[in-house]
Amino acid sequence: MKKMLDAVDVGISWVENVVCIVSLTAIVTIAAASVVARYVFHTGFLWADEVNQALLVAMGMFGCARAVRTNGHTEFTTLSNKPKSKKVRIAIRGIIELITIVFLAFLLVNSIKYTMTGTVLSTVLRVKRMYYYMSIPIGFGLCIYEYLRAFKKRVIQEPESEDE
């Protein structure tokens, strides 16, 4: 069972990385091609801005989950490192993690509702907006997964301090 869960975790990590890499590469490529087309050939791609917006949202949402996985998010260490007692510090970190997960769950539910109402067609490509918005609840779901996956480690382990 653990092997299967580890394989699923590796798959999720792989998806997060691939979506971030492909999104960023596509954004840069489309933006560069649009600039060249506009200033060199005096024409442009009508669809470029619309596609880049959707890719930017996807990259942001999947990148957020990836940042949680790699411990790249900021933490409230000023508050959680203040008490002398290790048990109190663990309790504070646990409360902060729980608040974060509850907030992400709230955002997940509301983003699903928002995505389902996106039946308006996009301006240029004439695609339902809900397809552009689908990466938002997926990203929040992945963030919840990543926080739950690392919950014990993030609460028990003392955060690294940034010595100047």
Side-chain angles (χ1 to χ4, degrees), residues 68-79:
V68 175
R69 176 179 288 272
T70 60
N71 205 20
H73 275 292
T74 57
E75 295 183 56
F76 296 108
T77 55
T78 303
L79 178 65

Side-chain angles (χ1 to χ4, degrees), residues 6-134:
D6 287 343
V8 168
D9 188 53
V10 168
I12 290 172
S13 174
W14 184 83
V15 167
E16 290 169 359
N17 291 335
V18 167
V19 170
C20 289
I21 291 166
V22 169
S23 296
L24 182 61
T25 303
I27 290 168
V28 170
T29 303
I30 292 169
S34 291
V35 169
V36 169
R38 189 177 312 121
Y39 291 107
V40 175
F41 301 111
H42 305 292
T43 186
F45 307 117
L46 292 175
W47 51 266
D49 188 45
E50 209 169 278
V51 171
N52 273 350
Q53 287 175 7
L55 288 170
L56 186 64
V57 171
M59 186 182 66
M61 296 309 298
F62 282 78
C64 179
R66 188 178 182 288
V68 175
R69 176 179 288 272
T70 60
N71 205 20
H73 275 292
T74 57
E75 295 183 56
F76 296 108
T77 55
T78 303
L79 178 65
S80 64
N81 287 349
K82 208 77 148 163
K84 300 270 189 239
S85 169
K86 183 175 182 174
K87 290 180 182 179
V88 173
R89 289 194 309 269
I90 289 172
I92 290 172
R93 284 195 300 271
I95 291 168
I96 291 171
E97 292 292 315
L98 287 174
I99 290 170
T100 302
I101 292 168
V102 168
F103 184 64
L104 285 169
F106 171 77
L107 291 172
L108 173 65
V109 169
N110 284 299
S111 66
I112 290 171
K113 290 178 185 177
Y114 181 71
T115 300
M116 292 306 169
T117 61
T119 56
V120 175
L121 298 178
S122 65
T123 310
V124 178
L125 296 177
R126 311 301 293 166
V127 175
K128 286 185 179 178
R129 289 270 180 199
M130 68 182 287
Y131 297 119
Y132 290 169
Y133 302 152
M134 283 174 64

